[in-house]
Amino acid sequence: MAITVTPRHPALGAEIRGIDMRRPMDPETFKAVHDAWMKHLVVVFPDQPVTDQEHVAFTRHFGEPEIFHQTSLHLRSDRVREIFLVSNVDENDRLMTPAEPSQKQLSSSRQWHTDSSYRTTPSVGSLLHGIEISRTGGITQFINMYMVYDELPDGLRREVEGRKARHDFGMLHKLVGNPPPTKEEAAAMPPAWHPLVRRHPVTGRKSLYLSSIYNDAIEGLEEGASRRLIEELSDFAAQPKYMYRHEWEPHDVLMWDNRCTVHAVTPHDPKERRVMHRTTIVGSEPVMAG
Ligand SMILES: [Fe+2]
């Protein structure tokens, strides 16, 4: 079946129509979808009321789904363990309050980041299914980090070339004021160092690789200077010309490339239900320096 691809923003983001995610994809369709994804970085499949099992099966076309390592906050589904819950409603249908640890941890996603960058082989991409969407906010914003790298001012470029940043899952609890991870949890996910400029294994293009909610150190810089550089780079990146803002419709499935984009969600009324299920595609190789 031929798909249609319609760009939604000049920098990144396109919608793909003409597929049913619940059905198997033939190799030709897969190639067309994959090509569109590599070209537009973020693609939306509108009107896909998939079950979690169908969501996971579709994800497997692109790679192995990640199993989230942290279980204490129940952000990993107890029903389908490949599903990460981006929700303020728990699996017993209880609306949670912003003060609960899981909600505090999720609130970190209002800052620019890329999923699972704290792994030694970080994630390839993520697929997020909007089941109950927000009308008071909850817009997911994406930045094209190829363009950001290409247009970096010389001063910032000199700061990032050939340098690595540390990505630590343990940063999250400090950021949001949750109790620290247990010894076992910390040992299960030690910090990882990745180049600030990376080369995409498929497109060959260079991009800036940041994840401000996990980055707690930059090679050769003091803590304060590291922080300032991450902030300066994030501020430069967050310009409308590099950004697609996704306003959700029920049963949109959004698929993005974690290797060349960052994302952040806008706040929404916490009394409004927001239920979204995510799969994350495991990376199979270390980050290639650009
Ligand atoms: Fe995220």
mmCIF file of all heavy atoms in Angstrom, residues 160-184:
data_model
loop_
_atom_site.group_PDB
_atom_site.id
_atom_site.type_symbol
_atom_site.label_atom_id
_atom_site.label_comp_id
_atom_site.label_asym_id
_atom_site.label_seq_id
_atom_site.Cartn_x
_atom_site.Cartn_y
_atom_site.Cartn_z
ATOM 1 N N VAL A 160 32.040 22.474 21.940
ATOM 2 C CA VAL A 160 31.486 21.110 21.886
ATOM 3 C C VAL A 160 32.307 20.130 21.045
ATOM 4 O O VAL A 160 32.238 18.921 21.277
ATOM 5 C CB VAL A 160 30.010 21.093 21.383
ATOM 6 C CG1 VAL A 160 29.122 21.869 22.342
ATOM 7 C CG2 VAL A 160 29.873 21.631 19.957
ATOM 8 N N GLU A 161 33.073 20.650 20.100
ATOM 9 C CA GLU A 161 33.823 19.765 19.200
ATOM 10 C C GLU A 161 34.764 18.870 19.997
ATOM 11 O O GLU A 161 35.526 19.355 20.840
ATOM 12 C CB GLU A 161 34.659 20.563 18.183
ATOM 13 C CG GLU A 161 33.869 21.358 17.159
ATOM 14 C CD GLU A 161 33.155 20.529 16.084
ATOM 15 O OE1 GLU A 161 33.219 19.287 16.112
ATOM 16 O OE2 GLU A 161 32.526 21.172 15.217
ATOM 17 N N GLY A 162 34.703 17.582 19.753
ATOM 18 C CA GLY A 162 35.642 16.644 20.358
ATOM 19 C C GLY A 162 35.440 16.411 21.847
ATOM 20 O O GLY A 162 36.276 15.798 22.495
ATOM 21 N N ARG A 163 34.345 16.913 22.408
ATOM 22 C CA ARG A 163 34.123 16.819 23.844
ATOM 23 C C ARG A 163 32.991 15.847 24.170
ATOM 24 O O ARG A 163 32.067 15.688 23.393
ATOM 25 C CB ARG A 163 33.713 18.192 24.347
ATOM 26 C CG ARG A 163 34.526 18.617 25.513
ATOM 27 C CD ARG A 163 34.100 19.943 26.024
ATOM 28 N NE ARG A 163 35.167 20.450 26.865
ATOM 29 C CZ ARG A 163 35.369 21.727 27.118
ATOM 30 N NH1 ARG A 163 34.576 22.627 26.577
ATOM 31 N NH2 ARG A 163 36.333 22.100 27.922
ATOM 32 N N LYS A 164 33.082 15.252 25.359
ATOM 33 C CA LYS A 164 32.011 14.345 25.783
ATOM 34 C C LYS A 164 31.231 14.947 26.948
ATOM 35 O O LYS A 164 31.776 15.737 27.720
ATOM 36 C CB LYS A 164 32.602 13.013 26.230
ATOM 37 C CG LYS A 164 33.081 12.163 25.070
ATOM 38 C CD LYS A 164 33.551 10.808 25.547
ATOM 39 C CE LYS A 164 33.830 9.909 24.344
ATOM 40 N NZ LYS A 164 34.380 8.618 24.756
ATOM 41 N N ALA A 165 29.977 14.530 27.059
ATOM 42 C CA ALA A 165 29.146 14.916 28.208
ATOM 43 C C ALA A 165 28.724 13.645 28.930
ATOM 44 O O ALA A 165 28.603 12.582 28.317
ATOM 45 C CB ALA A 165 27.927 15.688 27.740
ATOM 46 N N ARG A 166 28.528 13.767 30.239
ATOM 47 C CA ARG A 166 28.060 12.616 31.005
ATOM 48 C C ARG A 166 26.534 12.649 31.083
ATOM 49 O O ARG A 166 25.929 13.723 31.224
ATOM 50 C CB ARG A 166 28.659 12.642 32.413
ATOM 51 C CG ARG A 166 28.438 11.343 33.142
ATOM 52 C CD ARG A 166 29.348 11.207 34.329
ATOM 53 N NE ARG A 166 29.022 12.190 35.358
ATOM 54 C CZ ARG A 166 29.634 12.228 36.544
ATOM 55 N NH1 ARG A 166 30.583 11.361 36.825
ATOM 56 N NH2 ARG A 166 29.300 13.132 37.431
ATOM 57 N N HIS A 167 25.930 11.475 30.975
ATOM 58 C CA HIS A 167 24.467 11.329 31.065
ATOM 59 C C HIS A 167 24.204 10.369 32.225
ATOM 60 O O HIS A 167 24.658 9.227 32.190
ATOM 61 C CB HIS A 167 23.899 10.729 29.776
ATOM 62 C CG HIS A 167 24.143 11.559 28.541
ATOM 63 N ND1 HIS A 167 23.117 12.091 27.789
ATOM 64 C CD2 HIS A 167 25.293 11.939 27.924
ATOM 65 C CE1 HIS A 167 23.630 12.757 26.756
ATOM 66 N NE2 HIS A 167 24.945 12.670 26.817
ATOM 67 N N ASP A 168 23.492 10.849 33.233
ATOM 68 C CA ASP A 168 23.290 10.042 34.434
ATOM 69 C C ASP A 168 21.804 10.002 34.802
ATOM 70 O O ASP A 168 21.203 11.047 35.070
ATOM 71 C CB ASP A 168 24.108 10.647 35.592
ATOM 72 C CG ASP A 168 24.080 9.783 36.847
ATOM 73 O OD1 ASP A 168 23.408 8.725 36.835
ATOM 74 O OD2 ASP A 168 24.714 10.169 37.838
ATOM 75 N N PHE A 169 21.239 8.802 34.819
ATOM 76 C CA PHE A 169 19.831 8.662 35.213
ATOM 77 C C PHE A 169 19.621 9.212 36.632
ATOM 78 O O PHE A 169 18.558 9.735 36.955
ATOM 79 C CB PHE A 169 19.416 7.187 35.151
ATOM 80 C CG PHE A 169 17.961 6.960 35.482
ATOM 81 C CD1 PHE A 169 16.974 7.263 34.566
ATOM 82 C CD2 PHE A 169 17.588 6.464 36.716
ATOM 83 C CE1 PHE A 169 15.631 7.082 34.860
ATOM 84 C CE2 PHE A 169 16.244 6.271 37.031
ATOM 85 C CZ PHE A 169 15.268 6.580 36.097
ATOM 86 N N GLY A 170 20.654 9.107 37.457
ATOM 87 C CA GLY A 170 20.592 9.574 38.848
ATOM 88 C C GLY A 170 20.389 11.078 38.989
ATOM 89 O O GLY A 170 20.116 11.567 40.087
ATOM 90 N N MET A 171 20.532 11.835 37.880
ATOM 91 C CA MET A 171 20.276 13.280 37.901
ATOM 92 C C MET A 171 18.815 13.588 38.185
ATOM 93 O O MET A 171 18.477 14.604 38.788
ATOM 94 C CB MET A 171 20.571 13.848 36.509
ATOM 95 C CG MET A 171 21.877 14.536 36.315
ATOM 96 S SD MET A 171 21.881 16.181 37.007
ATOM 97 C CE MET A 171 21.171 17.140 35.646
ATOM 98 N N LEU A 172 17.923 12.718 37.729
ATOM 99 C CA LEU A 172 16.488 13.013 37.760
ATOM 100 C C LEU A 172 15.972 13.322 39.152
ATOM 101 O O LEU A 172 15.222 14.270 39.349
ATOM 102 C CB LEU A 172 15.687 11.819 37.221
ATOM 103 C CG LEU A 172 15.560 11.674 35.719
ATOM 104 C CD1 LEU A 172 14.577 10.555 35.403
ATOM 105 C CD2 LEU A 172 15.088 12.977 35.082
ATOM 106 N N HIS A 173 16.379 12.497 40.126
ATOM 107 C CA HIS A 173 15.805 12.678 41.461
ATOM 108 C C HIS A 173 16.229 14.013 42.059
ATOM 109 O O HIS A 173 15.463 14.663 42.765
ATOM 110 C CB HIS A 173 16.175 11.489 42.367
ATOM 111 C CG HIS A 173 17.570 11.532 42.894
ATOM 112 N ND1 HIS A 173 17.893 12.111 44.103
ATOM 113 C CD2 HIS A 173 18.728 11.098 42.365
ATOM 114 C CE1 HIS A 173 19.195 12.003 44.293
ATOM 115 N NE2 HIS A 173 19.726 11.402 43.253
ATOM 116 N N LYS A 174 17.462 14.460 41.725
ATOM 117 C CA LYS A 174 17.920 15.762 42.232
ATOM 118 C C LYS A 174 17.099 16.884 41.588
ATOM 119 O O LYS A 174 16.704 17.844 42.241
ATOM 120 C CB LYS A 174 19.405 15.986 41.898
ATOM 121 C CG LYS A 174 20.336 15.030 42.609
ATOM 122 C CD LYS A 174 21.784 15.330 42.217
ATOM 123 C CE LYS A 174 22.596 14.072 42.239
ATOM 124 N NZ LYS A 174 23.772 14.103 41.394
ATOM 125 N N LEU A 175 16.858 16.708 40.313
ATOM 126 C CA LEU A 175 16.133 17.714 39.542
ATOM 127 C C LEU A 175 14.722 17.937 40.081
ATOM 128 O O LEU A 175 14.234 19.057 40.139
ATOM 129 C CB LEU A 175 16.060 17.199 38.096
ATOM 130 C CG LEU A 175 16.077 18.160 36.951
ATOM 131 C CD1 LEU A 175 17.373 18.948 36.940
ATOM 132 C CD2 LEU A 175 15.945 17.373 35.627
ATOM 133 N N VAL A 176 14.050 16.867 40.481
ATOM 134 C CA VAL A 176 12.637 16.972 40.852
ATOM 135 C C VAL A 176 12.405 16.811 42.354
ATOM 136 O O VAL A 176 11.264 16.900 42.811
ATOM 137 C CB VAL A 176 11.776 15.939 40.077
ATOM 138 C CG1 VAL A 176 11.923 16.128 38.584
ATOM 139 C CG2 VAL A 176 12.128 14.500 40.464
ATOM 140 N N GLY A 177 13.467 16.556 43.129
ATOM 141 C CA GLY A 177 13.321 16.452 44.579
ATOM 142 C C GLY A 177 12.733 15.136 45.062
ATOM 143 O O GLY A 177 12.044 15.103 46.082
ATOM 144 N N ASN A 178 13.022 14.058 44.349
ATOM 145 C CA ASN A 178 12.592 12.720 44.802
ATOM 146 C C ASN A 178 13.703 12.084 45.634
ATOM 147 O O ASN A 178 14.857 12.490 45.544
ATOM 148 C CB ASN A 178 12.307 11.826 43.599
ATOM 149 C CG ASN A 178 10.869 11.936 43.124
ATOM 150 O OD1 ASN A 178 10.012 12.509 43.812
ATOM 151 N ND2 ASN A 178 10.592 11.406 41.955
ATOM 152 N N PRO A 179 13.376 11.033 46.420
ATOM 153 C CA PRO A 179 14.424 10.311 47.131
ATOM 154 C C PRO A 179 15.424 9.705 46.135
ATOM 155 O O PRO A 179 15.032 9.359 45.012
ATOM 156 C CB PRO A 179 13.675 9.183 47.858
ATOM 157 C CG PRO A 179 12.232 9.532 47.777
ATOM 158 C CD PRO A 179 12.040 10.464 46.634
ATOM 159 N N PRO A 180 16.700 9.599 46.526
ATOM 160 C CA PRO A 180 17.694 9.054 45.597
ATOM 161 C C PRO A 180 17.416 7.593 45.265
ATOM 162 O O PRO A 180 16.745 6.906 46.037
ATOM 163 C CB PRO A 180 19.013 9.182 46.364
ATOM 164 C CG PRO A 180 18.649 9.373 47.784
ATOM 165 C CD PRO A 180 17.260 9.941 47.835
ATOM 166 N N PRO A 181 17.925 7.112 44.118
ATOM 167 C CA PRO A 181 17.735 5.696 43.778
ATOM 168 C C PRO A 181 18.434 4.808 44.807
ATOM 169 O O PRO A 181 19.390 5.256 45.456
ATOM 170 C CB PRO A 181 18.414 5.558 42.410
ATOM 171 C CG PRO A 181 19.084 6.843 42.100
ATOM 172 C CD PRO A 181 18.696 7.849 43.115
ATOM 173 N N THR A 182 17.973 3.593 44.952
ATOM 174 C CA THR A 182 18.641 2.654 45.865
ATOM 175 C C THR A 182 19.997 2.286 45.264
ATOM 176 O O THR A 182 20.252 2.535 44.085
ATOM 177 C CB THR A 182 17.810 1.356 45.992
ATOM 178 O OG1 THR A 182 17.746 0.743 44.699
ATOM 179 C CG2 THR A 182 16.415 1.628 46.517
ATOM 180 N N LYS A 183 20.857 1.670 46.112
ATOM 181 C CA LYS A 183 22.188 1.241 45.653
ATOM 182 C C LYS A 183 22.067 0.325 44.439
ATOM 183 O O LYS A 183 22.809 0.448 43.472
ATOM 184 C CB LYS A 183 22.896 0.485 46.775
ATOM 185 C CG LYS A 183 23.958 1.305 47.460
ATOM 186 C CD LYS A 183 24.818 0.414 48.354
ATOM 187 C CE LYS A 183 25.670 1.308 49.240
ATOM 188 N NZ LYS A 183 25.800 0.849 50.594
ATOM 189 N N GLU A 184 21.095 -0.592 44.506
ATOM 190 C CA GLU A 184 20.913 -1.565 43.416
ATOM 191 C C GLU A 184 20.516 -0.836 42.131
ATOM 192 O O GLU A 184 21.023 -1.140 41.052
ATOM 193 C CB GLU A 184 19.836 -2.606 43.763
ATOM 194 C CG GLU A 184 20.184 -3.563 44.891
ATOM 195 C CD GLU A 184 20.129 -2.917 46.285
ATOM 196 O OE1 GLU A 184 19.290 -1.991 46.482
ATOM 197 O OE2 GLU A 184 20.921 -3.309 47.160
#
